């Protein structure tokens, strides 16, 4: 027991809690979220508070938090509230550097596709464009936004329903299924660490 550091989150700085959570709950998949504001200005940003939570209906949830520093909100959250649409693109190793660059705090209205050289492709059912270079993209409507608090660090859950799926055929196997080895998806860990899923890191466990 002496070897265990035991902590009450209420006694810690938000920054410290944030660090522990991000290093412990890892690796986390990355939602590369494209949104537009009411004027049609495009925004693209990554979020690793992200996962799939339902297959029927198909629901993805991600969370642009209030900034710990100054309690401001992210453009992605504002856009999702305004227009109720988002395209969630998955991130693989070939676009990880550009994904990282889009997380800079650009002014509102700046298009991160243009800043990072990624290619916009018009969506079929929603206004935000998808990322051509991403292997898989999900066009979504925003069903609900759940605020988990009003202070800095509070998550704002964007509950998104998938209404159209785009899969680059280069990432399919001969049977037409998504080939996880080809995908090389990346995920976020603590600090500056990322990981990639490829032949060397992946393994199978047959269902018991
Ligand atoms: C890999 C990665 C994952 C991130 N995950 C989150 C997240 O889950 N929640 C969040 O609020 N910010 C996250 N960020 C930071 C945002 O991307 C960053 O604040 C960005 O500037 C927000 O852009 P926006 O204001 O245009 O929406 C992440 C950054 C990176 C590089």
């Amino acid at each position: 027991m002496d070897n265990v550091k035991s902590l009450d989150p209420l006694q810690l700085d938000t920054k410290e809690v944030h660090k522990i959570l991000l290093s412990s709950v890892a690796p986390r998949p990355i939602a590369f979220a494209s949104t537009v504001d009411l004027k049609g200005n495009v925004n693209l940003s990554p979020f690793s508070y992200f996962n799939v939570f339902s297959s029927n209906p198909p629901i993805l949830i991600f969370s642009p938090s209030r900034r710990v520093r100054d309690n401001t909100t992210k453009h992605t959250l504002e856009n999702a509230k305004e227009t109720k649409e988002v395209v969630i693109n998955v991130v693989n190793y070939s676009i990880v550097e550009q994904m990282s660059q889009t997380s800079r705090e650009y002014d509102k209205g700046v298009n991160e596709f243009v800043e990072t050289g990624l290619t916009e492709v018009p969506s079929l059912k929603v206004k935000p464009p998808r990322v051509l270079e991403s292997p898989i993209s999900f066009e979504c409507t925003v069903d609900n936004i759940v605020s988990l608090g009003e202070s800095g660090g509070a998550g704002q859950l964007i509950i998104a329903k998938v209404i159209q799926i785009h899969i680059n055929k280069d990432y399919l196997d001969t049977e037409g299924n998504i080939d996880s080895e080809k995908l090389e998806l990346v995920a976020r860990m603590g600090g500056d660490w990322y990981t990639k899923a490829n032949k060397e890191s992946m393994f199978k466990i047959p269902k018991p």
Side-chain angles (χ1 to χ4, degrees):
M1 282 307 230
D2 277 354
N3 203 29
V4 174
K5 195 172 166 183
S6 196
L7 304 158
D8 175 349
L10 292 178
Q11 306 300 322
L12 300 174
D13 274 0
T14 304
K15 268 192 184 152
E16 191 58 29
V17 177
H18 184 77
K19 252 172 61 185
I20 294 169
L21 292 174
L22 267 63
S23 297
S24 310
V25 184
R28 296 179 307 286
I30 300 168
F32 205 11
S34 162
T35 53
V36 296
D37 65 16
L38 284 175
K39 292 183 194 143
N41 294 310
V42 174
N43 191 92
L44 179 66
S45 302
F47 297 92
S48 69
Y49 284 9
F50 166 59
N51 223 305
V52 54
F53 287 89
S54 170
S55 304
N56 181 25
I59 300 288
L60 306 176
I61 303 183
F62 69 104
S63 173
S65 303
R66 288 177 162 276
R67 289 194 180 82
V68 177
R69 192 181 60 234
D70 54 9
N71 198 18
T72 52
T73 53
K74 314 248 163 137
H75 299 140
T76 303
L77 176 69
E78 291 154 18
N79 291 352
K81 275 187 181 161
E82 281 175 22
T83 60
K84 302 271 192 296
E85 291 180 343
V86 58
V87 177
I88 296 178
N89 305 273
V90 304
V91 179
N92 67 354
Y93 193 62
S94 64
I95 57 171
V96 73
E97 285 293 340
Q98 284 150 305
M99 177 281 298
S100 166
Q101 290 303 320
T102 66
S103 74
R104 286 165 179 266
E105 286 184 18
Y106 293 105
D107 289 338
K108 189 155 170 77
V110 171
N111 182 339
E112 289 90 350
F113 279 91
V114 177
E115 295 302 316
T116 58
L118 289 166
T119 314
E120 288 179 35
V121 183
S123 292
L124 288 181
K125 297 181 178 164
V126 296
K127 286 195 199 72
R130 66 185 169 89
V131 177
L132 174 72
E133 293 80 0
S134 166
I136 304 164
S137 303
F138 300 99
E139 295 184 23
C140 303
T141 51
V142 172
D143 262 10
N144 200 359
I145 298 179
V146 179
S147 170
L148 301 179
E150 300 302 323
S151 314
Q156 310 293 313
L157 304 185
I158 298 182
I159 302 176
K161 182 159 72 201
V162 178
I163 57 168
Q164 190 73 30
I165 303 170
H166 304 273
I167 307 169
N168 182 327
K169 288 182 187 162
D170 292 347
Y171 298 97
L172 298 178
D173 64 19
T174 47
E175 273 135 46
N177 297 312
I178 294 172
D179 186 327
S180 296
E181 273 184 14
K182 282 187 190 158
L183 267 186
E184 284 207 315
L185 290 179
V186 294
R188 188 121 200 245
M189 306 186 71
D192 291 338
W193 290 104
Y194 287 83
T195 183
K196 76 177 165 201
N198 62 9
K199 251 194 187 140
E200 285 71 51
S201 64
M202 284 164 53
F203 57 93
K204 279 187 177 174
I205 299 184
K207 285 186 185 62

